[in-house]
Amino acid sequence: MAEGERKRIVVVGLGLIGGSLALALKGFEGYEIVGVDVSQPTLRFAAEHGVGDRVTEDAAAVLPGADVVVLALHPRGILRFLEEHRARFKQGCLVTDVCGVKSAVMEGAGVLPEGVDFIGCHPMAGTEFSGIEHAFAEMFQGSHLILTPRESSTPEHVALMERLGAYIGCRDVYKTTPEEHDAMIAYTSQVMHIIAVSVCDDPMLFACRGFEGSSFRGCTRVAALDVGLWTELFSLNRPALLTVLDRLMENLGAYREALASGDSGKLAEKLAYSAARKREMDLPGPDLLQ
Amino acid sequence: MAEGERKRIVVVGLGLIGGSLALALKGFEGYEIVGVDVSQPTLRFAAEHGVGDRVTEDAAAVLPGADVVVLALHPRGILRFLEEHRARFKQGCLVTDVCGVKSAVMEGAGVLPEGVDFIGCHPMAGTEFSGIEHAFAEMFQGSHLILTPRESSTPEHVALMERLGAYIGCRDVYKTTPEEHDAMIAYTSQVMHIIAVSVCDDPMLFACRGFEGSSFRGCTRVAALDVGLWTELFSLNRPALLTVLDRLMENLGAYREALASGDSGKLAEKLAYSAARKREMDLPGPDLLQ
């Protein structure tokens, strides 16, 4: 196969997730993996560490030859990129992303011309760091991959995304609607971040060194977040997040009330209820012993 | 040295923490490690797995020969044990515990006769499981050990606790007052558990399988708690816990307000403040790269 005929995946944005993806995708079904970024230090780092097969700052030059384009930018960056480069995607191309909100992104993908498919994608992986220097190929091992295909997405493209997810090590692939994704993620991810930052706002934070255990580290780990990214993610999912946040505050308030009442039977009953839910939630298997 | 002259540490209660401690203490400064429990299955498991040098159900028989007694029971169990066995501790003996609240335990230790020392102890370690079958010798590796000595505690006893902490692998040893301990722990541990159970009370819990990532697992891990133990721990530290819980709900409410206002500049400002606090909280060093 001549060089020009090699299938190509373009990863746009070589941050923590895009960089990890470009590393993890190497060798996938013979595709050439091309990384795109606007930052020279990022491109240098990527080139020196073998992130993708090659890297470039020129998105316009590599998009027309791309069979798959993964947009690994902040949500508003994705919307801008789609708008700016809409005419450069080739017919039959599959565009996807890695963004933590899906309704806004799927809506933004409406600017793509007919014949260019878009399947929303959210790998449930990450760390509290950002930037290519923290990227690693194993990031997606054992994590969930969530897809939000269009109604018009081809079965071939969905199947391709599923193989791609398996290749980078994802444990499973879920297909859902953007709306359901955003409601779920408000609960499983966004409100966890709101909790973490709220705990860190407590005046005791710095005084508590030496008293923190694994529950504190587990709960607050994600508080050191990327401010720009999370401002966008929260803002683009405001109604769903507010709903979950209100339910959390109600549940916390119910525990406060049980505790304040001094009725330890009532408190024990509530704890038994919640602990049983948590145990039921955990799937049986070796995970329980970790 | 004749058998009768061998120094002896008695660990009362061979659950998750007591069992792990009896495993971790083996070989410490030539002490004989004797495990005590009232449950026959627990004693059998302990004997079969080498938890301590020997085990017995007869506390009354081994207490008079004990140089150190570690009470690894639930808080109210500790209070009952002290009351029941107060006359059986030998003069010069050091009694300690592993309990997550300190004021109530230190107060209960007031029943001990003169000449029997008590140093409150809280190893900041544990898992979401309970029972000796989940015990392991490495549990205390890298964790903080908090001591609340009496004013009258001897320097020799404090030094002994410090060596013991180092032997079982603790990273450092903090000495503080029971009141400060309980205020800190309300924040770093107890409210983390209230958060975890409250999150699990959300009606979305079971539907969210497949959408959960590491932040969700990190935050909710401890929700599968020992109901009896935590009902006691919360109840015995009620005022401090209510104070911290109210501050948390206030901080969550402030985030709710910033989000609901639609002012993303204000939201970004709050996130930048909290994330910077979290980053400052983290001690520099290899921990950051884990």
Side-chain angles (χ1 to χ4, degrees):
Chain A
M1 194 188 267
E3 178 63 23
E5 292 172 42
R6 193 174 171 195
K7 292 181 298 178
R8 181 188 294 169
I9 296 177
V10 172
V11 179
V12 181
L14 297 174
L16 178 72
I17 304 295
S20 296
L21 194 61
L23 282 165
L25 278 174
K26 279 174 85 169
F28 174 62
E29 296 186 0
Y31 281 92
E32 179 194 33
I33 311 300
V34 182
V36 174
D37 206 282
V38 294
S39 152
Q40 288 305 322
T42 295
L43 290 172
R44 243 189 333 268
F45 187 99
E48 280 164 12
H49 292 78
V51 178
D53 297 311
R54 64 183 173 98
V55 296
T56 174
E57 62 181 327
D58 193 354
V62 291
L63 282 180
D67 301 279
V68 180
V69 178
V70 185
L71 303 176
L73 304 166
H74 287 197
R76 295 199 195 284
I78 291 177
L79 301 182
R80 274 193 301 270
F81 191 94
L82 287 167
E83 184 68 41
E84 182 183 344
H85 295 280
R86 56 197 288 186
R88 295 201 172 92
F89 298 96
K90 81 171 170 193
Q91 279 294 302
C93 167
L94 168 62
V95 186
T96 182
D97 74 317
V98 297
C99 186
V101 290
K102 294 271 74 87
S103 301
V105 169
M106 297 297 288
E107 202 184 308
V111 301
L112 291 172
E114 209 171 330
V116 176
D117 198 1
F118 190 93
I119 296 182
C121 175
H122 182 191
M124 295 293 298
T127 72
E128 65 275 33
F129 304 110
S130 49
I132 195 167
E133 64 274 24
H134 296 289
F136 57 103
E138 300 76 18
M139 171 166 290
F140 310 99
Q141 294 288 341
S143 63
H144 303 298
L145 189 77
I146 307 171
L147 301 181
T148 58
R150 289 172 168 174
E151 275 184 39
S152 63
S153 291
T154 67
E156 290 75 19
H157 281 162
V158 174
L160 173 60
M161 287 302 294
E162 289 175 334
R163 294 197 308 278
L164 186 152
Y167 187 79
I168 64 175
C170 291
R171 165 164 50 165
D172 44 35
V173 177
Y174 283 79
K175 278 163 283 184
T176 185
T177 62
E179 295 72 25
E180 193 193 40
H181 169 277
D182 289 356
M184 288 292 180
I185 245 53
Y187 172 53
T188 59
S189 167
Q190 295 195 330
V191 92
M192 299 302 121
H193 288 73
I194 299 280
I195 290 170
V197 289
S198 296
V199 167
C200 289
D201 281 357
D202 194 282
M204 266 189 170
L205 179 69
F206 299 121
C208 84
R209 277 197 186 97
F211 293 85
E212 87 290 355
S214 60
S215 63
F216 190 83
R217 288 191 290 266
C219 178
T220 59
R221 182 181 58 85
V222 294
L225 43 69
D226 179 329
V227 174
L229 171 62
W230 285 92
T231 301
E232 289 189 17
L233 291 172
F234 292 152
S235 300
L236 289 169
N237 200 26
R238 186 178 296 124
L241 179 53
L242 285 174
T243 302
V244 174
L245 194 46
D246 287 342
R247 287 206 306 260
L248 171 68
M249 290 175 71
E250 206 173 296
N251 289 332
L252 284 168
Y255 264 108
R256 194 215 181 277
E257 203 177 305
L259 182 65
S261 76
D263 180 346
S264 62
K266 186 179 165 189
L267 181 58
E269 200 177 297
K270 276 186 69 61
L271 287 172
Y273 171 81
S274 310
R277 286 173 65 82
K278 169 62 178 165
R279 287 202 187 89
E280 189 180 338
M281 169 64 184
D282 274 318
L283 302 166
D287 268 350
L288 278 175
L289 300 172
Q290 279 176 354
Chain B
M1 196 189 267
E3 178 63 24
E5 292 172 41
R6 192 172 171 197
K7 293 181 297 179
R8 182 187 295 169
I9 296 178
V10 172
V11 179
V12 180
L14 297 175
L16 178 71
I17 305 295
S20 296
L21 194 60
L23 282 166
L25 277 175
K26 279 174 84 169
F28 174 61
E29 296 186 1
Y31 281 91
E32 180 194 32
I33 311 299
V34 181
V36 174
D37 206 282
V38 293
S39 151
Q40 289 304 322
T42 295
L43 289 172
R44 248 192 327 271
F45 187 98
E48 281 164 11
H49 293 79
V51 178
D53 296 312
R54 63 184 173 99
V55 297
T56 174
E57 61 181 328
D58 193 354
V62 292
L63 282 180
D67 301 279
V68 180
V69 178
V70 185
L71 303 176
L73 303 167
H74 288 199
R76 294 199 196 283
I78 291 177
L79 301 181
R80 274 194 299 272
F81 190 94
L82 287 168
E83 184 68 41
E84 183 183 343
H85 295 281
R86 55 197 288 188
R88 295 201 172 92
F89 298 96
K90 80 171 172 193
Q91 280 294 303
C93 166
L94 169 62
V95 186
T96 182
D97 73 318
V98 296
C99 186
V101 290
K102 294 271 75 86
S103 301
V105 169
M106 297 297 288
E107 202 183 306
V111 302
L112 290 172
E114 209 171 328
V116 176
D117 199 1
F118 189 93
I119 296 181
C121 175
H122 182 191
M124 295 294 298
T127 72
E128 65 276 33
F129 305 110
S130 50
I132 195 167
E133 64 274 25
H134 295 289
F136 55 103
E138 301 74 20
M139 171 167 290
F140 310 99
Q141 296 288 342
S143 62
H144 302 297
L145 190 76
I146 307 171
L147 301 180
T148 58
R150 289 172 169 174
E151 273 184 40
S152 63
S153 290
T154 66
E156 290 75 19
H157 282 162
V158 174
L160 173 59
M161 288 301 294
E162 289 174 335
R163 294 198 307 277
L164 187 153
Y167 188 78
I168 64 175
C170 292
R171 163 163 53 164
D172 44 36
V173 177
Y174 283 78
K175 279 162 284 185
T176 184
T177 62
E179 295 73 26
E180 193 192 41
H181 169 276
D182 289 357
M184 288 293 180
I185 246 54
Y187 172 53
T188 59
S189 167
Q190 296 195 327
V191 93
M192 299 302 120
H193 288 73
I194 299 279
I195 289 169
V197 288
S198 297
V199 167
C200 289
D201 282 356
D202 194 282
M204 268 189 170
L205 180 69
F206 300 121
C208 85
R209 278 197 186 96
F211 292 85
E212 87 290 354
S214 61
S215 63
F216 190 82
R217 288 190 291 266
C219 178
T220 60
R221 182 180 59 85
V222 294
L225 43 69
D226 178 329
V227 173
L229 172 63
W230 285 92
T231 301
E232 290 188 17
L233 291 172
F234 292 153
S235 300
L236 290 168
N237 201 26
R238 185 178 297 124
L241 179 52
L242 285 174
T243 302
V244 173
L245 194 47
D246 287 343
R247 286 205 307 260
L248 171 68
M249 290 174 71
E250 206 174 296
N251 289 332
L252 284 168
Y255 264 108
R256 194 215 180 277
E257 203 178 304
L259 182 65
S261 76
D263 179 348
S264 63
K266 186 177 163 189
L267 181 59
E269 201 177 299
K270 276 186 68 62
L271 288 172
Y273 171 80
S274 310
R277 285 174 66 82
K278 170 62 179 164
R279 287 201 186 89
E280 189 180 336
M281 171 64 183
D282 274 319
L283 302 165
D287 268 350
L288 278 175
L289 299 173
Q290 281 176 353

